[in-house]
Amino acid sequence: RKEVEQDPGPFNVPEGATVAFNCTYSNSASQSFFWYRQDCRKEPKLLMSVYSSGNEDGRFTAQLNRASQYISLLIRDSKLSDSATYLCVVNLPYPLKNQGGKLIFGQGTELSVKP
Amino acid sequence: DAEITQSPRHKITETGRQVTLACHQTWNHNNMFWYRQDLGHGLRLIHYSYGVQDTNKGEVSDGYSVSRSNTEDLPLTLESAASSQTSVYFCASSESLGGQETQYFGPGTRLLVL
């Protein structure tokens, strides 16, 4: 089983649509969760962190269910500029608490928003 | 502004040659990472470092090495390039915040091994 699994996509949606991405992770020790966005042939960039209580940033809403080890990203009112690959990312903590952990990336879900 | 840069941005080399990819960050981050990205595999961790003189192997470290002589740089060396190492390579850095940190990525290096 992959450590982080995402819907393979691609998702092709019209402008204005609502689209949801799902992600599951296998390591229950994971502590931090993120959604990154990657445009074609560019570097990944942080879209938003995901908190247990759920969090929203404009048209984007992220949810975390620790019991089910499930993460989601909801995009409302899709824009053409939302077209990109969305990466679900999970942190595995380093044994020493004062040092950083490792990020495990899902393979990404491609979104294409059409006029 | 602080940033993370990679060089070269594009590289063509031949099998068997040694290649070094540079990564430089000006955030004074302790943590630095090298990933490769291939179709069907997503981003895979090659090597990482949590500080000067510290290096660790990631999941796909065979054929690669790194060294960390200062905070700003983590060069990645392909000891003897192979066609299987044709890929896009991303460097990233982050602060040490006990696992809560965000990683910031460089623009990537596209490597073609002929």
Side-chain angles (χ1 to χ4, degrees):
Chain A
R1 180 185 173 188
K2 292 181 180 177
E3 291 184 273
V4 178
E5 291 200 66
Q6 295 183 241
D7 293 336
F11 283 43
N12 296 303
V13 303
E15 270 188 294
T18 295
V19 60
F21 301 137
N22 301 312
C23 172
T24 57
Y25 62 96
S26 61
N27 194 319
S28 60
S30 299
Q31 295 182 346
S32 303
F33 310 90
F34 310 90
W35 283 100
Y36 275 69
R37 169 190 169 132
Q38 186 173 25
D39 293 289
C40 186
R41 303 176 73 83
K42 297 286 186 66
E43 72 272 24
K45 293 184 179 179
L46 178 68
L47 177 66
M48 58 196 304
S49 300
V50 187
Y51 305 114
S52 296
S53 56
N55 49 299
E56 187 174 307
D57 183 3
R59 297 181 293 107
F60 299 84
T61 300
Q63 297 278 352
L64 168 65
N65 184 322
R66 287 186 183 267
S68 302
Q69 296 181 198
Y70 170 86
I71 306 162
S72 66
L73 176 68
L74 185 74
I75 305 176
R76 292 181 299 278
D77 189 22
S78 300
K79 310 293 185 189
L80 296 176
S81 58
D82 293 334
S83 296
T85 296
Y86 291 82
L87 304 173
C88 176
V89 185
V90 172
N91 170 282
L92 292 182
Y94 195 68
L96 300 177
K97 64 178 181 180
N98 63 335
Q99 291 186 317
K102 295 190 292 182
L103 294 185
I104 308 297
F105 287 79
Q107 290 194 28
T109 302
E110 184 181 348
L111 172 66
S112 178
V113 181
K114 305 294 186 184
Chain B
D1 286 343
E3 60 178 358
I4 180 167
T5 56
Q6 294 183 232
S7 63
R9 295 293 310 279
H10 302 269
K11 175 77 176 178
I12 301 174
T13 191
E14 297 176 340
T15 55
R17 291 190 180 267
Q18 184 180 79
V19 176
T20 296
L21 309 183
C23 176
H24 179 81
Q25 52 97 3
T26 59
W27 280 302
N28 203 36
H29 284 166
N30 288 329
N31 309 328
M32 296 184 73
F33 307 83
W34 273 104
Y35 297 88
R36 60 177 290 174
Q37 188 173 35
D38 308 282
L39 283 174
H41 289 281
L43 280 155
R44 292 183 291 174
L45 185 61
I46 305 171
H47 282 285
Y48 57 103
S49 168
Y50 290 137
V52 176
Q53 303 301 331
D54 175 75
T55 60
N56 307 278
K57 293 181 178 181
E59 61 178 307
V60 289
S61 60
D62 287 348
Y64 303 94
S65 64
V66 294
S67 61
R68 187 88 181 271
S69 58
N70 59 53
T71 300
E72 295 80 19
D73 298 289
L74 186 70
L76 177 71
T77 297
L78 286 66
E79 304 293 343
S80 177
S83 57
S84 60
Q85 294 177 308
T86 293
S87 187
V88 180
Y89 291 85
F90 288 104
C91 179
S93 72
S94 69
E95 292 184 82
S96 290
L97 296 174
Q100 305 298 314
E101 71 282 357
T102 299
Q103 289 187 15
Y104 298 92
F105 284 79
T109 294
R110 297 182 182 281
L111 177 66
L112 175 61
V113 182
L114 299 174

